[in-house]
Amino acid sequence: MPRKITIHQIAKEVGLNASTVSLALRGDPKVREKTRDRILEAAKRMNYEPNNLARSLSNGRTRIIGVMLSDMSRFYEESLEAVFTLGEAAGFTISVRFCSWDQAREKAGLHSFVSNRIDGIIWGPTDYNTAEIAEMDALLHKFEVPTVMYGLPDDTQSLHCYQIGLDMQKSIQVGLAHLKSYGHTDIALLAATEVQGMFGRMYRRRMAMFRDAFIAEGLHLDDRRIFEVGDDNCGGLDLALKLSQMERSQWPTAIFAADDLLARELVKSFKTLGVRVPEEISVIGYDVFPWAMGGQLCSVNLNTKEIGEKAIQMLLKCINSEHPQQFDQRVEVLPQIRLGTTCGRPRSR
Amino acid sequence: MPRKITIHQIAKEVGLNASTVSLALRGDPKVREKTRDRILEAAKRMNYEPNNLARSLSNGRTRIIGVMLSDMSRFYEESLEAVFTLGEAAGFTISVRFCSWDQAREKAGLHSFVSNRIDGIIWGPTDYNTAEIAEMDALLHKFEVPTVMYGLPDDTQSLHCYQIGLDMQKSIQVGLAHLKSYGHTDIALLAATEVQGMFGRMYRRRMAMFRDAFIAEGLHLDDRRIFEVGDDNCGGLDLALKLSQMERSQWPTAIFAADDLLARELVKSFKTLGVRVPEEISVIGYDVFPWAMGGQLCSVNLNTKEIGEKAIQMLLKCINSEHPQQFDQRVEVLPQIRLGTTCGRPRSR
DNA sequence: CTGAAAGCGCTAACAT
DNA sequence: ATGTTAGCGCTTTCAG
């Protein structure tokens, strides 16, 4: 038996024409059931595997959706799962590229998507380098590859692609506003700075966003209220210890932890040290780990699952439609407070 | 300008034949530099993007390497990065599929690889379901898709694929042996059991491996020496607290933490509680986070980077060679102890 | 219901 | 150095 089976060989085997085989393999009702069974049997017996290159070249679509991500952060996990589930249900294969926060690699990956005539792209762009994004956007548009970008700030109206808006700074403000609603004004920031990884840039950007968010909410973020810990430390424990050696009157009344794991550790450490949360100090987390502390943690929920769902739904609509223009070009996903037990009114002084 | 540019249109534009354009685009020295420049200029101006479907259908290779992974665990991060770097340097695009620990999805993904005539596959199989693996292995072999599987135990000689052997149980034994070499025999296990995630199966398997490893090293693992914590707890802190309320004579002399983050937290918590590590108790970590504690942590290093490097190197050799059979079919990656400051001789009783 | 023929965009001999 | 021709494997009219 030759190495790679084609429909012609199957056709010869069963004494029919290749085009009939082609129809049968795709379950076209034009082929009589009996003939189809014969064909399918032969195909299986001969270990036939369709050649998507030929198929796609011929009919003009690949039934593949490409997803471009920067890294394997858990931030993407939930949304990617949604993309898989809904995408596969609609008959698409999901192909992922990672760029490791490298713009050259990102560009190459997107090019590979269009070269391989992917049917649509979901893109969580690396960085808000407007010019670069605009350039790729123009290219993708020129090739008429439906594209959904997500995690975009709101100054991107000029882009052609569809967008899932997620305003990170506003999401931080949501957390701050929540604290303010309890009466907190002296809020500290606990942030991890992963030095070793490739996320340095992201962390720096996030830090800048925190500063801006404080300002936007009319809050003062004193440098001495910023606790930066390396990712190889136990930031929560360190901070709890540090505070326990300070006069309580010197404490902030609330702590905004830059991620849920830090927040979790902080709360647990406070408990260990006999500090009551939220009676003596409030803690709010951020992003990524909805399951941290079994729902006890008060935290800003970025709704990543919803992001994934909206992205794939938008894309599928777009791919299946003749007139994609009729859809909203941008959908906002709103962060919300995930209520827990770790925030309360500030202690009276 | 028509929507999708082909080499024929470029050819017409510059008054040459399509095959010349084809050669020029690939930088073939047969075409004169001046002509090539003209062609490239036109291609860029017309926004030409090569059609890999046609290209691959014609020349029989896609220059794409497929990677099949179960999830976005950080376990894969380092090895995947190595695959990217070396793979791209060799001119390949790396396309990733995730199966979320779902065998149907895994199978579909591998089929999509062969349908799309990927040049080679790197596969970190979900589970050691021998029959399923053997079936896919046979299929991939029949289609002559060079495949490297990794993370395989050593009872898989019958497979056709190339293999990066990583014996997880032995890696645990390496850690245990290290503790034994200091004189530890009363060793406790600290393990997280992520209930919410999709990793339940993996955790259970890992737990079984720990038990087997203890037995293989001639150690007794009492049930009361197993501390299982949910992933939404702070396991390290909890355990440190628990122990601090016990008579020291009841303590184990060493703790094997099932991952580095737990170990890190444990060590930090001990420090907080005034317990000296390793003078009063030794701690060893496992896997995944080489940077945890800035190298202070003594831990079992799974060498995931090396796994990725070996996998892609094997695959490239195989793809580029006429006679792949001449290479070793299986390479073992050996876990090692990453020395730190958290292990020492047991306290005298 | 099945067969014949053209073509998707590109490559690879072979000619010129 | 450039042009001609014949596919790669499949889909898709269009005939029968």
Side-chain angles (χ1 to χ4, degrees), chain B residues 66-73 75-76 79-80 83 95-103 106-107 110 113 121-129 133 140 147-153 161-164 166 168 202 205 307-308 311 315:
Chain B
V67 177
M68 171 59 82
L69 298 177
S70 296
D71 59 59
M72 303 220 285
S73 147
F75 174 78
Y76 299 118
S79 59
L80 193 57
V83 170
S95 176
V96 183
R97 303 267 190 283
F98 289 101
C99 69
S100 306
W101 298 92
D102 177 325
Q103 292 211 350
E106 187 169 29
K107 206 169 166 182
L110 291 170
F113 279 152
I121 294 178
I122 294 179
W123 181 17
T126 291
D127 216 334
Y128 303 144
N129 179 332
I133 290 185
L140 296 173
T147 301
V148 176
M149 284 172 68
Y150 70 78
L152 281 183
C161 64
Y162 292 79
Q163 302 170 24
I164 309 291
L166 172 64
M168 297 257 195
M202 189 182 68
R205 201 171 65 212
I307 291 177
L315 194 57

Side-chain angles (χ1 to χ4, degrees), chain B residues 106-117:
Chain B
E106 187 169 29
K107 206 169 166 182
L110 291 170
H111 268 288
S112 89
F113 279 152
V114 347
S115 280
N116 290 295
R117 298 299 190 262

Side-chain angles (χ1 to χ4, degrees), chain A residues 52 81 95 100 115 231 264, chain B residues 52 81 95 100 115 231 264:
Chain A
N52 274 345
E81 181 63 26
S95 175
S100 306
S115 282
D231 206 5
R264 174 180 82 166
Chain B
N52 274 345
E81 182 62 26
S95 176
S100 306
S115 280
D231 206 5
R264 174 180 81 167

Side-chain angles (χ1 to χ4, degrees), chain A residues 66-235:
Chain A
V67 177
M68 171 60 82
L69 298 177
S70 296
D71 59 59
M72 303 220 287
S73 150
R74 279 204 157 171
F75 175 78
Y76 299 117
E77 207 168 73
E78 270 197 320
S79 59
L80 192 58
E81 181 63 26
V83 170
F84 281 147
T85 309
L86 300 180
E88 285 174 0
F92 287 84
T93 296
I94 312 298
S95 175
V96 184
R97 303 266 190 285
F98 290 100
C99 70
S100 306
W101 299 90
D102 177 324
Q103 292 211 350
R105 196 179 273 180
E106 188 168 30
K107 206 169 166 180
L110 291 170
H111 269 288
S112 89
F113 278 152
V114 348
S115 282
N116 289 296
R117 298 299 189 262
I118 288 294
D119 286 343
I121 295 177
I122 294 179
W123 181 17
T126 290
D127 216 335
Y128 303 143
N129 180 331
T130 321
E132 284 269 340
I133 290 186
E135 186 193 326
M136 279 313 305
D137 174 74
L139 188 72
L140 297 173
H141 179 247
K142 203 156 279 167
F143 283 98
E144 297 182 304
V145 190
T147 301
V148 176
M149 285 171 68
Y150 71 78
L152 281 184
D154 51 13
D155 60 348
T156 50
Q157 286 94 352
S158 59
L159 298 180
H160 301 283
C161 64
Y162 292 79
Q163 302 170 24
I164 309 290
L166 172 65
D167 189 329
M168 296 257 195
Q169 182 186 316
K170 214 165 264 169
S171 73
I172 297 169
Q173 288 181 236
V174 166
L176 291 174
H178 184 65
L179 290 175
K180 280 204 306 186
S181 77
Y182 281 113
H184 294 278
T185 53
D186 186 359
I187 301 167
L189 175 62
L190 172 60
T193 321
E194 188 174 40
V195 189
Q196 284 91 339
M198 32 188 145
F199 309 114
R201 188 142 108 219
M202 189 183 68
Y203 274 89
R204 259 171 281 138
R205 202 170 66 213
R206 186 180 275 196
M207 202 50 131
M209 280 189 300
F210 270 102
R211 287 180 185 280
D212 291 344
F214 270 75
I215 292 168
E217 286 294 318
L219 292 164
H220 179 63
L221 178 60
D222 195 288
D223 276 347
R224 285 163 305 181
R225 284 298 192 226
I226 300 178
F227 300 97
E228 258 186 292
V229 291
D231 206 5
D232 49 342
N233 290 315
C234 274

Side-chain angles (χ1 to χ4, degrees), chain B residues 145-288:
Chain B
V145 191
T147 301
V148 176
M149 284 172 68
Y150 70 78
L152 281 183
D154 51 14
D155 59 349
T156 49
Q157 286 94 351
S158 60
L159 298 180
H160 300 284
C161 64
Y162 292 79
Q163 302 170 24
I164 309 291
L166 172 64
D167 188 330
M168 297 257 195
Q169 182 186 317
K170 214 165 266 169
S171 72
I172 298 169
Q173 287 182 235
V174 166
L176 292 174
H178 184 64
L179 290 175
K180 280 204 307 186
S181 76
Y182 281 113
H184 294 278
T185 53
D186 186 0
I187 301 168
L189 176 61
L190 172 60
T193 321
E194 188 174 38
V195 190
Q196 284 91 340
M198 33 188 145
F199 310 113
R201 187 141 109 222
M202 189 182 68
Y203 274 89
R204 260 172 280 138
R205 201 171 65 212
R206 187 180 275 196
M207 202 51 130
M209 280 189 300
F210 269 102
R211 288 181 184 279
D212 291 345
F214 270 76
I215 293 168
E217 287 293 318
L219 291 164
H220 179 63
L221 179 59
D222 195 288
D223 275 347
R224 284 164 305 181
R225 284 299 194 225
I226 300 179
F227 300 97
E228 258 185 292
V229 291
D231 206 5
D232 49 343
N233 289 316
C234 276
L237 201 56
D238 284 345
L239 178 53
L241 277 173
K242 197 173 211 164
L243 289 180
S244 69
Q245 285 156 2
M246 281 167 54
E247 283 278 339
R248 299 228 164 171
S249 61
Q250 305 286 319
W251 285 18
T253 64
I255 298 174
F256 199 136
D259 73 65
D260 285 349
L261 289 187
L262 275 176
R264 174 180 81 167
E265 191 189 327
L266 183 62
V267 172
K268 275 276 190 169
S269 301
F270 276 138
K271 200 168 279 176
T272 307
L273 297 167
V275 175
R276 285 168 305 140
V277 175
E279 290 81 357
E280 298 181 77
I281 192 163
S282 287
V283 174
I284 191 170
Y286 183 75
D287 163 26
V288 180

